[in-house]
Structures are given as C-alpha cells and as structure tokens.
Amino acid sequence: MIVDKEIIDFLKTQKKVTIGFSTGKDSLACAILLKKNNIDFIPFFFYQIPDLEFVEKNIQLYEKELNMEVIRVPHPMLYDWLRHQDFQYPSMIDYLDEKGYIKSSFEDMINLYLYSIGDENEYYDIVGMRANESFNRRMILKDKGAIRHDIKKIYPIHNWSMKDVNEYIIENKYSFTDDYKVWNRSFDGLKYQFLFGVKENYPKDWQTIKEYFPLIELELFRYEKNIEYFKK
Amino acid sequence: MKKTLNTLKNNEEFEINDFELNEIEFNDIQDIEDEEDIPKEKIIKVLSDDIKSLREKNKQFQATNDKQTYLIVVFSTNEDKSEFLKNVNIEDYKNHTTMVDGYKLAKNIGISPQKPKFKLARPIESHHTKK
C-alpha cells in the first residue's frame, strides 16, 4: 500500500487527533498507522445500541492490542431512533417525548467529551474512508483532497485498497473481530441485514436489543414478508 | 488554569456559570485538579444512564399485568381502511403476541393488496456463515 507522506508529515505537526473507531478494519488500519507514527490520538467508539456484549468484546480486544482506552459515547443515530420512537410501544411515546433526546452529531459528542476533560482544543478527526469504496467517495476525495482543513478531517488511507487494509492489519499482527466471521464487515445497527446475524449468533444480545427496541422483530418480519410475496 | 476551570465546571454538571467560577478560591480549584479523571467518567456515565433508563422503563412496562395490545395496520387507501374496519373484529387480535401478515389478512377480507415491487437485499452474511 502507499502511505501518503504528505498526510503523515501533516499528522506529525499535530499535538493530537481524534478518530471514530468503529472496530472495523478501515478505522483499525488508521489507528495502527497513527500508533506506528507516534501520533497521539483519542479513539471514539459510537455505540448504536448500548450494552451489547459482542460489541464490548470487540472494543476490549482493541483496547488490549492498541494498549489504550477507547472512549464509548452514544452514536447520533441512536438519538435519532429514540427521538423518532422507532420500534417502541405506543405507550412509550410520551416517555420518549418527555426525555427530549436531542439531535446530535459526531462532532458534538467528541466536543462534549473533550470539554468534560477540560480540553478546549479542536483537533483534526481521522476518517478511514477510501476512494475505491464507491464512486461518490472517489469524487469527493479527488475534488476536496485527503486533508480537509475546512472541516478538519483527514483521510490517511484514502488511496488504499481493501487488500492493502487487510494486509496492513495482518502484517502488524492485529486481529479482526468476530463481526467479520458473522457479517464479513463490522456490525452496523438496527437493519435487518445485520439483525438476523445477531439473533442467530448472539441470542443474549438479541434480547438486549428487544429491551431497548421492543418491536424490533418487525424489521425482520418486513424482510421475510417481502421475500415471501415478491416471489409470487 | 483555564483547563482546571473547565474541569471544575463539569464537576458541577454545568450548573456553575462563569461569574460563580470567578468567586471560587484558588485552593478549591487545586483540590479539584487532583481529581481530573472524575469528570470524564461522569459525562460518559450521564450520557449512558440517560439512554439506559429506557431499557428499565421498557422492562417495567413489560412486567405490568395491564399490558395493552396493539394492532398496527398500514393502509394504502381509505377504501381499504373502511373495508378492513367493516370486516375485521379487532377483539380477535387482543392478546395476539405475534405479528399479523397484512397481505394474507387483506386477502381474507376481500382486499387485493399490491405485491412488493422491490425485492429487499439479502441479510449480510460472511463466507463463514453462508449455508
């Protein structure tokens, strides 16, 4: 793979950076790159559903391998689901309305955390986005570049292929999470595409999801019925 | 010092305004400085507890005896809705714990619902789990 020297040189001028650490392989490759170049960083994990054991196991795996704490904060999408009362009993609507979950962003959560530790700096954020993942991403990276001073984002593996990412992780002796055995990618929320895998492989976590989103079975049901009636 | 003041501010859960902060003696600030890791844990706990309360609330609701039953039906036309209400006894669905196949239900009462126009993508599986 080609490590972009301009990006590494720029990163080395930074006191610290933040990184959205999903435990997926792209964010892991970024974290390894930062670590190897002695760049100080704070990894953030944005949880979409709280208390999932298989997710916590993944985070702890990398806390051990990276030898650092990963900061766990709620994902902005989680607040959206709660605000929209997705998969909730109608009787919970008033309660959720009263709670008044706000619309937030990744930047809000990072800034709130930094504020809480008395750090008023605004750091560049590292994103594991790659140009060859989609045409749109290729166009954005081509037009705007891999160091975005306007939005303070840096894309250090923008020019890597999936093969580069996999090889880099293996070369540096880091592990892949079990998510790759179940979905061949990292777990990504309340979509039927992922939920069948949770139900089958992590029954306890499936119950946890149902305790937060009691009508979540509907998400699986809509897929099953779509397939059943589409065929006819 | 600025950092310490912010730390202190968070320690008080944002309730101290800047004016009040100026009134605090330096010695008080020094005490807080020794506990700099507390606010970080606190903010994460506040965020987490705020969401976890929903799990408890749902559990409480599930445990109640007077659990309500809901039948949520989506109609594409008002005519379908009228037809449904005319032909279906809602009481039949009380204590119904499973989801109702709306397509089958509609056909049973003489409504001809449309079939899905788009086939949803398959759930994601890795080569390890494919059967």
Side-chain angles (χ1 to χ4, degrees):
Chain A
M1 81 288 308
I2 312 147
V3 178
D4 193 324
K5 192 178 175 305
E6 189 194 341
I7 292 180
I8 300 297
D9 289 345
F10 181 76
L11 284 169
K12 283 183 174 170
T13 66
Q14 300 301 300
K15 185 180 158 201
K16 200 180 274 186
V17 291
T18 60
I19 174 172
F21 187 70
S22 67
T23 73
K25 58 184 181 326
D26 293 335
S27 63
L28 175 62
C30 290
I32 300 169
L33 191 68
L34 295 172
K35 190 111 183 143
K36 283 187 78 170
N37 286 280
N38 297 316
I39 294 151
D40 194 9
F41 66 101
I42 309 175
F44 286 88
F45 178 82
F46 297 94
Y47 57 85
Q48 301 194 35
I49 303 152
D51 305 330
L52 297 185
E53 288 180 2
F54 77 93
V55 170
E56 182 59 26
K57 188 181 157 200
N58 294 344
I59 302 171
Q60 287 180 14
L61 168 74
Y62 291 129
E63 284 188 321
K64 197 173 167 194
E65 292 193 352
L66 291 164
N67 192 26
M68 65 195 305
E69 183 189 11
V70 175
I71 309 300
R72 297 144 174 87
V73 285
H75 195 291
M77 186 68 85
L78 173 56
Y79 287 116
D80 287 345
W81 291 330
L82 297 179
R83 213 175 48 256
H84 300 157
Q85 298 138 2
D86 289 348
F87 305 113
Q88 300 295 335
Y89 289 122
S91 58
M92 296 299 285
I93 290 173
D94 286 345
Y95 172 78
L96 288 165
D97 206 33
E98 272 170 32
K99 289 288 284 182
Y101 291 109
I102 52 158
K103 189 163 181 60
S104 67
S105 65
F106 295 110
E107 289 77 17
D108 289 339
M109 301 315 283
I110 290 173
N111 289 337
L112 184 60
Y113 169 78
L114 291 174
Y115 182 74
S116 80
I117 58 167
D119 188 336
E120 289 194 335
N121 291 296
E122 208 183 316
Y123 300 117
Y124 276 83
D125 189 40
I126 304 301
V127 183
M129 190 166 99
R130 293 183 290 109
N132 70 0
E133 282 178 296
S134 71
F135 181 72
N136 276 355
R137 290 186 172 192
R138 183 178 292 278
M139 290 306 290
I140 291 167
L141 285 162
K142 195 180 168 197
D143 282 358
K144 309 278 185 183
I147 302 178
R148 294 280 304 272
H149 298 293
D150 54 339
I151 53 172
K152 297 203 81 145
K153 290 202 183 293
I154 301 173
Y155 308 94
I157 60 165
H158 68 101
N159 52 349
W160 293 22
S161 66
M162 191 191 283
K163 187 168 170 272
D164 292 335
V165 172
N166 288 337
E167 284 176 0
Y168 190 67
I169 291 168
I170 293 164
E171 267 169 30
N172 287 285
K173 299 184 170 47
Y174 282 79
S175 312
F176 293 93
T177 67
D178 287 345
D179 286 14
Y180 285 86
K181 291 180 188 158
V182 179
W183 298 286
N184 213 18
R185 53 161 297 174
S186 53
F187 171 68
D188 192 19
L190 286 186
K191 304 169 192 133
Y192 73 85
Q193 288 95 325
F194 292 95
L195 292 174
F196 280 104
V198 177
K199 192 174 179 179
E200 191 178 329
N201 294 282
Y202 307 110
K204 195 175 169 197
D205 286 325
W206 176 244
Q207 285 308 313
T208 302
I209 294 176
K210 285 171 81 170
E211 284 172 17
Y212 279 104
F213 300 95
L215 301 181
I216 193 63
E217 293 272 6
L218 284 168
E219 177 64 7
L220 308 186
F221 191 66
R222 84 179 172 94
Y223 170 76
E224 287 164 349
K225 290 296 149 190
N226 173 275
I227 297 305
E228 184 181 338
Y229 290 116
F230 186 81
K231 281 179 189 166
K232 289 178 182 172
Chain B
M1 180 66 78
K2 203 172 183 184
K3 188 175 179 183
T4 311
L5 289 176
N6 270 331
T7 307
L8 177 64
K9 209 171 182 179
N10 277 279
N11 226 21
E12 297 295 321
E13 293 189 339
F14 313 108
E15 284 175 4
I16 299 176
N17 61 34
D18 289 343
F19 175 76
E20 284 168 322
L21 277 175
N22 292 335
E23 301 295 306
I24 293 169
E25 294 291 327
F26 178 77
N27 284 345
D28 296 335
I29 293 168
Q30 200 62 48
D31 289 343
I32 299 293
E33 215 165 29
D34 297 334
E35 299 177 333
E36 217 163 51
D37 59 334
I38 293 174
K40 177 182 79 175
E41 289 163 1
K42 197 168 181 177
I43 195 75
I44 289 172
K45 191 173 182 312
V46 167
L47 288 171
S48 159
D49 286 354
D50 194 34
I51 289 164
K52 285 183 179 185
S53 61
L54 172 67
R55 187 179 186 181
E56 288 310 308
K57 190 79 184 168
N58 267 328
K59 271 186 185 170
Q60 285 168 17
F61 171 70
Q62 299 261 39
T64 56
N65 291 326
D66 56 342
K67 196 164 33 169
Q68 298 171 62
T69 304
Y70 301 98
L71 177 64
I72 302 167
V73 187
V74 180
F75 299 98
S76 50
T77 65
N78 272 333
E79 289 74 25
D80 286 355
K81 184 181 166 190
S82 311
E83 193 67 22
F84 177 84
L85 293 174
K86 203 162 64 188
N87 290 286
V88 170
N89 182 8
I90 301 293
E91 290 297 310
D92 292 347
Y93 292 92
K94 280 208 165 169
N95 303 319
H96 208 288
T97 51
T98 54
M99 289 162 287
V100 178
D101 181 339
Y103 189 91
K104 201 183 282 177
L105 178 68
K107 284 195 90 168
N108 286 346
I109 61 167
I111 296 173
S112 304
Q114 289 191 4
K115 289 178 181 172
K117 286 182 183 150
F118 301 98
K119 189 178 179 183
L120 293 173
R122 283 174 58 81
I124 300 169
E125 290 176 298
S126 84
H127 59 276
H128 294 281
T129 53
K130 275 180 192 158
K131 289 168 184 127

